[in-house]
Amino acid sequence: MKITKLIKIVVAVLLIAVVAVVAAFKFFERIDNGYVGVRYSMNGGIKDEALTQGVKFVGIDKVIQYPIRLQTIQAEKVSVSTSDGKKTTIDIKYDYKVDPNKAAKMYKEFGNITSEDIESGWLKSKLQKVSREVYAKYSLLDVLSGDSSKVEAEVLTSFAKSVEAKGFEVEDVTLGVPDVDAETQKSIDAIIRAGQENEKAKLDAETAKTKADSEAYKKTKAAEAEAEANKKVADSVTDELIHYTEAQAREKHGWVTVNGANTVVTDKGN
């Protein structure tokens, strides 16, 4: 009798434990770090206050979570056409998050679908539309040469603006290199070679100019040095030095006197 009663108690405890575990999964929701939850029920509609991270009691209500920290999304093979009629595909990477103050509004817009579904559906559709509009302004060679940064900036600005009203905040966009056909690749290679040759010509010209400047500098400094030396010599020739040199010469070679038109030379040396 006692054993039967003990068995009943154990069974009851186990049932209570099972019910508690089920209730924990049923009536509580764990909001992940970096997400907010939107709570909704069949009869009460959406709760405007978003649930922050942690374990929350929600009863029988349902919860859908949206990311409020940056998510990096890779959109592959986005089809675009350039202004010169070239059709190509590009891979686009972008970073986005959800404005927590618009999470409830977002649920009203998109319904009971996950953020992953939105990324692969509505967000990708907006990104493709914006990319086509931007790429249509540029030729493929422009995109692959000097205007790639401008294209990237335009896609970022237009994409961010097109989705912000729904609560999405796009912070960065990175465009991959478009796929090109063989003919376009030849044109690109030719542009690259021309650029390299132009840079080499500039370098050669700068080198020659530097060498010429160096030679001219050397000649200028030599001329300045010679002029300075001559000046020093000229400055050193005083009246006293002239008289002394003249006396030395007369002592060695005698006196020379010039009289009138007819020259008379008189040697007064020793």
Side-chain angles (χ1 to χ4, degrees), residues 18-38:
V18 170
V19 171
V21 171
V22 172
F25 282 100
K26 183 69 176 176
F27 302 131
F28 290 86
E29 181 79 15
R30 181 180 182 275
I31 308 301
D32 296 330
N33 181 30
Y35 285 75
V36 292
V38 176

Side-chain angles (χ1 to χ4, degrees), residues 15-238:
L15 286 175
I16 292 172
V18 170
V19 171
V21 171
V22 172
F25 282 100
K26 183 69 176 176
F27 302 131
F28 290 86
E29 181 79 15
R30 181 180 182 275
I31 308 301
D32 296 330
N33 181 30
Y35 285 75
V36 292
V38 176
R39 182 178 173 184
Y40 60 96
S41 62
M42 295 298 294
N43 56 0
I46 300 170
K47 307 291 194 279
D48 289 333
E49 183 178 355
L51 301 174
T52 57
Q53 70 178 67
V55 178
K56 310 292 181 179
F57 176 78
V58 297
I60 61 173
D61 291 347
K62 301 295 183 181
V63 175
I64 190 165
Q65 299 188 39
Y66 296 116
I68 58 172
R69 65 181 178 186
L70 281 180
Q71 306 290 306
T72 299
I73 308 302
Q74 183 77 32
E76 299 181 347
K77 302 297 182 182
V78 177
S79 299
V80 295
S81 295
T82 54
S83 62
D84 51 348
K86 299 285 187 180
K87 293 183 178 181
T88 184
T89 60
I90 50 173
D91 294 336
I92 305 177
K93 183 174 69 175
Y94 66 92
D95 296 333
Y96 90 97
K97 62 182 178 181
V98 170
D99 182 349
N101 297 319
K102 295 181 179 179
K105 179 183 177 182
M106 186 176 297
Y107 179 82
K108 294 176 183 178
E109 291 282 348
F110 295 100
N112 188 24
I113 61 174
T114 65
S115 58
E116 289 82 3
D117 292 333
I118 297 174
E119 290 162 6
S120 61
W122 188 80
L123 279 175
K124 185 173 182 179
S125 175
K126 283 291 184 181
L127 178 63
Q128 187 164 40
K129 180 177 182 296
V130 165
S131 299
R132 285 175 175 172
E133 291 172 352
V134 173
Y135 273 84
K137 302 176 184 178
Y138 298 89
S139 71
L140 186 56
L141 289 178
D142 289 337
V143 173
L144 292 168
S145 55
D147 290 331
S148 57
S149 59
K150 291 172 60 177
V151 175
E152 195 168 79
E154 283 193 41
V155 171
L156 170 59
T157 301
S158 298
F159 183 41
K161 186 176 181 180
S162 69
V163 300
E164 65 180 352
K166 301 295 185 183
F168 298 98
E169 298 177 351
V170 178
E171 295 194 5
D172 189 40
V173 167
T174 303
L175 303 179
V177 179
D179 293 330
V180 296
D181 54 39
E183 181 181 349
T184 303
Q185 187 61 55
K186 288 180 180 178
S187 299
I188 295 169
D189 292 341
I191 291 173
I192 292 174
R193 281 195 303 272
Q196 291 173 340
E197 290 171 358
N198 186 44
E199 288 300 319
K200 184 177 182 302
K202 287 182 180 179
L203 181 59
D204 290 343
E206 289 174 1
T207 301
K209 183 178 182 301
T210 300
K211 185 176 180 180
D213 289 345
S214 177
E215 293 297 327
Y217 178 78
K218 289 179 182 179
K219 291 179 180 179
T220 300
K221 297 305 290 184
E224 289 176 355
E226 182 177 357
E228 182 65 22
N230 292 337
K231 183 177 182 300
K232 288 181 179 179
V233 171
D235 290 343
S236 67
V237 178
T238 63

